[in-house]
């Protein structure tokens, strides 16, 4: 849990000071630490696994940046924070940390399954599959998006919830 807090503090301090006044930086750091209650929602027996998932994702996304210039790991971290605030189960939080690895890195479904179990790997795989198909028209894309959401809900509602949190962070 300390590595998540330290990395978040380090990133926040570095990025906030670049973009904001000193006072605004302090408020931003406090805000993020207020939200870092992610581990407090889960029993201590889950903390190591949650921390391992964060480290696995951070390692997988190292040297990747978002369009904003931020380190990519800030995105899965924020998605995990959204879901932790909703008190979702630890498997969903772990999947939130890992959700872009299959699509954006060399990490495979098998790697995630081996380290975090089939349930987590299936959630990550479900989120990945929601974006894979290209369409000829907007109508076709909209119809298929609804179809995929219904299928995702019928298999595991957590796939859809995670995807919605992912989209929410991407539009902010």
């Amino acid at each position: 849990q300390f590595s998540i807090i330290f990395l978040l503090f380090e990133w926040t301090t570095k990025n906030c000071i670049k973009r904001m006044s000193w006072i605004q930086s302090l408020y931003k750091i406090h805000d993020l630490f207020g939200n870092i209650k992610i581990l407090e929602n889960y029993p201590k027996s889950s903390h190591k696994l949650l921390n391992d998932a964060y480290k696995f994702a951070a390692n997988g996304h190292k040297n990747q940046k978002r369009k904003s210039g931020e380190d990519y790991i800030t995105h899965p971290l924020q998605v995990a924070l959204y879901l932790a605030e909703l008190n979702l189960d630890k498997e969903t939080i772990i999947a939130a940390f890992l959700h872009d690895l299959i699509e954006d890195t060399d990490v495979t479904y098998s790697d995630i399954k081996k380290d975090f179990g089939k349930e987590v790997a299936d959630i990550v795989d479900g989120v990945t599959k929601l974006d894979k198909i290209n369409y000829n028209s907007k109508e076709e894309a909209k119809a298929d998006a609804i179809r995929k959401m219904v299928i995702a809900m019928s298999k595991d509602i957590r796939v859809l919830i995670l995807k919605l949190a992912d989209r929410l962070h991407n539009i902010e």
Side-chain angles (χ1 to χ4, degrees):
Q1 84 190 39
F2 294 112
S3 63
I4 293 173
I5 293 171
F6 177 75
L7 289 171
L8 185 59
F9 178 79
E10 180 181 45
W11 173 86
T12 305
T13 305
K14 182 171 55 176
N15 287 292
C16 287
I17 290 173
K18 283 185 209 171
R19 297 184 185 134
M20 302 178 191
S21 72
W22 172 244
I23 297 295
Q24 288 173 317
S25 296
L26 287 176
Y27 283 115
K28 184 68 174 171
I29 291 166
H30 177 335
D31 212 27
L32 285 170
F33 275 109
N35 288 331
I36 201 65
K37 306 275 185 205
I38 189 168
L39 294 176
E40 290 181 8
N41 292 340
Y42 304 95
K44 284 196 180 247
S45 60
S46 300
H47 291 190
K48 182 180 180 330
L49 191 58
L50 289 161
N51 197 38
D52 288 349
Y54 172 80
K55 287 179 185 177
F56 190 86
N59 186 50
H61 290 299
K62 70 180 174 203
N63 302 323
Q64 289 181 334
K65 300 283 185 189
R66 292 180 54 82
K67 286 181 184 177
S68 65
E70 297 172 318
D71 290 340
Y72 194 87
I73 191 59
T74 60
H75 170 65
L77 177 60
Q78 187 59 53
V79 172
L81 287 169
Y82 288 154
L83 298 175
E85 288 172 0
L86 296 172
N87 294 318
L88 289 169
D89 64 309
K90 76 175 186 290
E91 290 78 16
T92 307
I93 304 307
I94 292 166
F97 283 130
L98 308 175
H99 79 274
D100 281 331
L101 288 172
I102 292 175
E103 191 173 5
D104 296 341
T105 71
D106 293 334
V107 173
T108 66
Y109 172 90
S110 297
D111 297 332
I112 293 172
K113 182 179 175 185
K114 181 180 80 136
D115 290 347
F116 300 101
K118 182 179 180 345
E119 186 176 1
V120 170
D122 286 346
I123 296 169
V124 172
D125 192 48
V127 171
T128 302
K129 287 180 178 173
L130 284 176
D131 282 335
K132 287 222 172 189
I133 300 171
N134 294 320
Y135 304 97
N136 296 324
S137 70
K138 284 185 180 183
E139 291 78 22
E140 190 179 306
K142 286 178 186 177
D144 197 52
I146 292 169
R147 181 188 63 77
K148 287 192 291 187
M149 282 191 261
V150 169
I151 291 170
M153 285 188 298
S154 69
K155 289 183 178 179
D156 191 336
I157 189 70
R158 296 173 297 180
V159 171
L160 180 60
I161 295 168
L162 175 50
K163 188 61 182 178
L164 291 172
D166 176 46
R167 291 273 172 97
L168 174 63
H169 184 248
N170 282 331
I171 62 172
E172 286 185 337

